[in-house]
Amino acid sequence: MKLYTLLIAFIFLGFISNAQDYKVIVHSSSTVTSISKSQLSKYFLKKDKKWDDGTKVTVIDQSSRSETRKQFSNDVLGKSVGAIKSYWQQYVFAGTGTPPLEKKTDAEVVAFIKSHPGAIGYVASSANTDGTKVITIQ
C-alpha cells in the first residue's frame, strides 16, 4: 500500500511540475482572446507576421537566461532556447530574418506590449499584467 501511495504522489508531482508557469499577453486593444500553440509558434518563429485583422505582429521574447523563456520555448516552440537561438542565427547569417526583440524582465515585456498595438509576449504566471490582455492557449 505504501508503494502505491508513493507512486501516486510521484505521478501527481509530475503533473504539477509540468504546469504552465507563464501567460501570453497582447495589447489591450487586441480582439484576440485565445490562440493555438501552432499559431503562437508561427508568430514567434516569424512564419506569420500579421494578425487576422492585418495588424503587424510584434513578438517579444524574454532573455535567454529566463526560466519562463525556457518553459515557453519547450512548450510552444517544441525546442530548447539553444535550438531557437541556432534557428535565428541561420536566418541572420543568411540575411533573411531577425529574431524577436528580447526584454530582460516581465515588467519590461508588459511595458512594451502596453505601448505597442499588435505586440505579443509572455510573462511568468505571477507577473502583474495590468494594462494588457491575457489570452489563453488552446
Side-chain angles (χ1 to χ4, degrees), residues 123-138:
V123 293
S125 58
S126 60
N128 178 349
T129 56
D130 290 349
T132 67
K133 182 192 285 187
V134 177
I135 63 173
T136 57
I137 301 173
Q138 303 169 339

Side-chain angles (χ1 to χ4, degrees), residues 33-48:
T33 57
S34 67
I35 192 167
S36 69
K37 274 189 181 184
S38 173
Q39 186 60 48
L40 190 55
S41 177
K42 287 176 185 176
Y43 287 146
F44 272 82
L45 297 175
K46 295 189 177 181
K47 293 180 178 181
D48 273 355

Side-chain angles (χ1 to χ4, degrees), residues 76-90:
V76 174
L77 306 176
K79 299 179 186 325
S80 69
V81 173
I84 296 300
K85 288 181 89 56
S86 293
Y87 169 88
W88 284 114
Q89 285 174 344
Q90 291 173 13

Side-chain angles (χ1 to χ4, degrees), residues 5-76:
T5 304
L6 189 59
L7 180 61
I8 295 297
F10 279 125
I11 291 171
F12 181 71
L13 288 173
F15 284 121
I16 290 174
S17 67
N18 289 331
Q20 182 177 307
D21 290 332
Y22 58 87
K23 49 191 170 184
V24 176
I25 58 174
V26 294
H27 190 269
S28 61
S29 68
S30 176
T31 58
V32 175
T33 57
S34 67
I35 192 167
S36 69
K37 274 189 181 184
S38 173
Q39 186 60 48
L40 190 55
S41 177
K42 287 176 185 176
Y43 287 146
F44 272 82
L45 297 175
K46 295 189 177 181
K47 293 180 178 181
D48 273 355
K49 298 180 182 182
K50 292 193 179 196
W51 293 101
D52 288 342
D53 67 1
T55 304
K56 180 184 174 217
V57 174
T58 304
V59 178
I60 305 302
D61 237 336
Q62 296 244 354
S63 161
S64 60
R65 294 182 180 165
S66 163
E67 288 299 319
T68 305
R69 181 170 176 179
K70 289 176 186 173
Q71 186 180 24
F72 179 86
S73 293
N74 286 324
D75 289 354
V76 174

